[in-house]
Amino acid sequence: MLTRTRLRSAGVLAILALVATASAWGSDSIATPPATSAPAAAATTPFWPDLGWPTLCWFGAVAVLALTVRTDRLWTWRNLDGLVLAGMCLLLGLRDSASRPLFLDLTPAAWAALGLSIAAGYWLFRGGTVLLTRGPVQQTGLASPGTRAVLLIVGVALCIQQLAGAPLSPGSRDGLVGGLFTADTGRLPYGDVPAHEGRSPLLYLVYAGANRLVPPTLSLDSVDLPRVAMTWPHRDLWLGQPWEQIADLAPVRLVNAVLLITLVAGVALFAARLGAPDGGATAVALLTIFPGTLECLPRPEIMLPAVLLTWAIVLLTLRGVGALLGVFMLVLAGVAWPWAWLPLPAFLAYCWRRGVWPALSSAVGLVGGAAVVLFGLFQLVQPSIPRADGALAMSDAAPVFRARLADDGTVIVDHREADSSPTRPASYYLWHTLIERDTVTLKQNGHSAATVRIDWPNSVNGRTVLFRQVEPVGDAGPLLQQHYRAVFAQQPPAPRLAAAVRTVLEATWIPDQPALSARTSAWETWAGPSPLPRSWIMLRRGVKLVAALLVVWSALAIFFGRRTQPRHLLGATLLAASGSLLASELGAVTEWVWVLPTLLALWSIHEPAPAPPWVPRGAARPTLPPLGSGPVQAGPPPRITVEPKPAGP
């Protein structure tokens, strides 16, 4: 007789066969075979399957259903979660469709963005429902061990294939170039490499270490020499050329592989610790097969904060110094991606409710993490002059003068026409505070090597002109930049730290040369190309406000509701991660690897049933009758008497 496991495995194989047949039947991208002397059958029957993006999305949907959906109990949250995740796989495959507009004159890409945003709202709602639960949560193994093992192997193979065949992403390119600068100078590249300075400081530090371990090499066709190492002092040989095509990018492969292994290890460890049967293997299989993970593997700027957030949750649930390490790791995740700071209130509320020692440890982790980050910025960042289209525009402090370099090396300063005052952004007060801390003037005594000759306009006192009031143009920029840094080196620590923070925020939030994203944001898909209309800007600000309020609510629910189980922390984190994805610049159309580890951890929770009530020592304990003794009769036990035998003659 067939068992339920065998029936489920047979159903999975049947669905896979149907999907493969449908894909082959409906495919319209079959190339015409070349006119060669080879047999025609060899050109029309390729051996390797087509691993295009639609195929991966369909396969991911089927695999998710096979690993999550139960047939014995249909109306469960777990089945609904599996259906939503499988639907997301199909929507991810629909994003790049170039078909004509469908219903309501919306393109398939617009419908996919809408569907993925609704899915993000669903996960936000699910995070809130998990946060409010009080009873134990128990999960049972879903797929058979054979199905789970096969899908796990296939998922790992897909990840390896994606890392080996994906082109160099913009984040990897910027990290490699900035890492070469950091490894050579010991400084972060902000203000020195304008085309590659828009990434997180942690990404440059990671690539600096990778460049030292496995230096990238370059093959120059014009020089009859063996491969040479790519270094920053010899950047004239490769920077500005198509070096991606002739370089051996070993650091890129190393960083991508380490981030993948670290993420998989964190998900497997945490899922196994939560107690669900085979929870670690199921979580890793879902993680590696999900298309949203596969598309983010070559993007270290997304994988790095996802890894840090995953390990922050893992460390926070450990005993002892777990609260300290978890909060410290979350602070680092926020440096890698600012949206990662959104779960911080829930983390602190979770620690403060669990006792005095976790509360103190979390406070030490928060203060220590902030101190380490600020000290690192103070030591590694060289401040740069505020840009007119950057921090100055955000703080409504347009430059008054423009500086250009003459042939004799003199910096000529002219009056500059005032710009139209833009609409103040929501972050105006932050930029205004940082700009007001910058009070160094051009006539201040700096280092002798950085002294420049300046020709001022008539009736202008150069001793009162601030650096931020002058916009350098052309070759005058590097000269004034060197003079600016020499003057700032003599300032007290507080202004120098403020200038370092402003330099990093300006380079990462308002880059001089914004990186071209391979994905159109959900906001631009609905509202049109940037800049967005004011109504859409206000709508996005409203989404940000709602996400922030929900995070505050989750922290209060944990603290005052005494919700101190791991599922409550994961629910609050899922709520914050989904809200940040909705409110981010790109919306919910990509970067789903940021949400998936928390969701997989929630699916792995298997808490024990509540213990029986405690009985005081010495009290009478209820006893059970022996098996087969029948029903117990009420009242005193029956009295048995034996009549004496009468004495006979």
Side-chain angles (χ1 to χ4, degrees):
M1 184 177 61
L2 293 177
T3 61
R4 183 178 300 169
T5 300
R6 293 181 179 178
L7 288 174
R8 188 178 300 165
S9 301
V12 170
L13 295 178
I15 294 175
L16 289 174
L18 290 176
V19 171
T21 305
S23 301
W25 181 266
S27 176
D28 57 353
S29 60
I30 300 177
T32 303
T36 61
S37 58
T44 58
T45 57
F47 176 75
W48 297 109
D50 179 18
L51 293 180
W53 182 246
T55 305
L56 292 178
C57 293
W58 275 97
F59 176 76
V62 175
V64 167
L65 292 177
L67 290 171
T68 57
V69 174
R70 297 184 59 176
T71 57
D72 55 345
R73 297 178 58 191
L74 294 178
W75 303 108
T76 61
W77 280 111
R78 183 62 175 270
N79 284 353
L80 183 58
D81 293 346
L83 291 175
V84 172
L85 193 62
M88 290 170 54
C89 297
L90 301 180
L91 292 173
L92 289 173
L94 193 64
R95 291 174 310 181
D96 302 325
S97 177
S99 303
R100 59 185 180 182
L102 302 176
F103 185 64
L104 297 179
D105 291 334
L106 291 179
T107 63
W111 280 111
L114 179 61
L116 290 172
S117 300
I118 294 175
Y122 171 80
W123 296 125
L124 188 147
F125 169 75
R126 285 291 288 128
T129 57
V130 173
L131 176 62
L132 296 178
T133 58
R134 290 191 178 275
V137 178
Q138 296 185 352
Q139 303 288 352
T140 58
L142 302 181
S144 65
T147 302
R148 184 170 51 249
V150 170
L151 293 179
L152 177 59
I153 295 173
V154 172
V156 174
L158 288 177
C159 291
I160 295 175
Q161 186 271 341
Q162 177 71 3
L163 290 180
L168 187 67
S169 66
S172 298
R173 183 184 300 108
D174 296 342
L176 180 66
V177 176
L180 289 173
F181 177 88
T182 303
D184 181 73
T185 63
R187 301 281 186 171
L188 293 172
Y190 303 114
D192 296 284
V193 193
H196 304 280
E197 64 176 14
R199 307 296 175 179
S200 164
L202 292 182
L203 185 64
Y204 294 122
L205 294 177
V206 168
Y207 266 97
N211 289 331
R212 288 186 178 275
L213 290 176
V214 283
T217 57
L218 195 68
S219 177
L220 301 176
D221 296 337
S222 59
V223 181
D224 189 13
L225 292 174
R227 301 185 69 89
V228 296
M230 292 175 59
T231 59
W232 185 252
H234 300 91
R235 60 187 178 276
D236 295 337
L237 298 176
W238 54 272
L239 193 60
Q241 303 179 9
W243 52 270
E244 301 94 338
Q245 305 175 5
I246 58 177
D248 181 15
L249 305 178
V252 175
R253 296 192 296 271
L254 176 62
V255 170
N256 291 339
V258 170
L259 290 178
L260 173 61
I261 293 173
T262 310
L263 180 62
V264 168
V267 171
L269 176 63
F270 195 40
R273 288 185 62 249
L274 292 178
D278 302 317
T282 304
V284 173
L286 288 169
L287 177 69
T288 54
I289 287 177
F290 184 60
T293 302
L294 296 176
E295 70 171 351
C296 293
L297 292 181
R299 302 175 59 189
E301 72 277 9
I302 301 301
M303 291 293 293
L304 181 60
V307 168
L308 294 175
L309 177 64
T310 302
W311 278 96
I313 300 175
V314 173
L315 295 174
L316 191 67
T317 56
L318 297 178
R319 295 182 179 180
V321 295
L324 187 152
L325 297 178
V327 175
F328 180 83
M329 193 68 69
L330 185 64
V331 172
L332 296 184
V335 176
W337 196 35
W339 284 108
W341 276 321
L342 207 58
L344 182 60
F347 272 51
L348 295 178
Y350 178 82
C351 296
W352 292 349
R353 175 49 68 181
R354 291 180 66 89
V356 177
W357 175 247
L360 293 177
S361 299
S362 63
V364 173
L366 177 62
V367 176
V372 169
V373 170
L374 294 177
F375 180 77
L377 295 180
F378 182 79
Q379 293 292 330
L380 300 177
V381 175
Q382 300 182 90
S384 60
I385 300 176
R387 301 196 324 269
D389 59 343
L392 295 178
M394 291 293 178
S395 62
D396 197 12
V400 182
F401 304 97
R402 178 177 283 111
R404 57 185 177 88
L405 187 64
D407 296 336
D408 59 350
T410 302
V411 176
I412 301 177
V413 179
D414 300 322
H415 285 282
R416 179 181 181 273
E417 295 182 2
D419 296 332
S420 58
S421 179
T423 304
R424 289 184 175 181
S427 57
Y428 163 78
Y429 294 101
L430 171 64
W431 295 110
H432 180 73
T433 302
L434 293 174
I435 287 296
E436 288 298 322
R437 301 285 295 176
D438 192 341
T439 58
V440 294
T441 60
L442 269 72
K443 281 293 186 178
Q444 234 168 324
N445 293 327
H447 196 272
S448 59
T451 304
V452 295
R453 293 179 299 170
I454 302 177
D455 185 10
W456 296 94
N458 296 331
S459 68
V460 173
N461 183 9
R463 297 186 180 278
T464 61
V465 177
L466 304 177
F467 270 97
R468 57 184 172 85
Q469 295 177 325
V470 180
E471 179 188 11
V473 179
D475 295 336
L479 190 61
L480 287 182
Q481 185 83 292
Q482 183 182 5
H483 183 41
Y484 177 78
R485 290 173 174 175
V487 172
F488 239 108
Q490 301 177 355
Q491 297 298 307
R496 290 169 57 191
L497 179 59
V501 172
R502 189 262 310 156
T503 298
V504 174
L505 294 181
E506 185 180 37
T508 54
W509 291 5
I510 324 167
D512 186 19
Q513 299 181 17
L516 297 178
S517 176
R519 187 68 53 198
T520 303
S521 70
W523 306 100
E524 293 182 358
T525 301
W526 299 325
S530 184
L532 299 179
R534 182 167 180 79
S535 58
W536 284 95
I537 294 178
M538 298 304 296
L539 177 60
R540 186 184 170 193
R541 291 180 178 178
V543 173
K544 291 181 180 180
L545 179 61
V546 171
L549 293 178
L550 288 176
V551 167
V552 174
W553 168 80
S554 65
L556 296 177
I558 290 176
F559 186 79
F560 291 104
R562 299 181 179 180
R563 295 175 169 86
T564 58
Q565 297 299 322
R567 67 174 182 273
H568 300 135
L569 175 66
L570 292 173
T573 306
L574 180 62
L575 184 148
S578 303
S580 64
L581 201 63
L582 282 170
S584 62
E585 184 179 0
L586 291 178
V589 296
T590 184
E591 300 174 358
W592 277 98
V593 72
W594 168 247
V595 179
L596 194 60
T598 306
L599 175 62
L600 297 178
L602 273 174
W603 282 355
S604 302
I605 293 179
H606 185 81
E607 298 174 347
W614 177 73
V615 178
R617 179 178 297 180
R621 295 180 178 270
T623 58
L624 297 178
L627 295 177
S629 59
V632 179
Q633 298 180 357
R639 185 175 181 181
I640 301 176
T641 59
V642 179
E643 296 293 336
K645 185 177 180 180

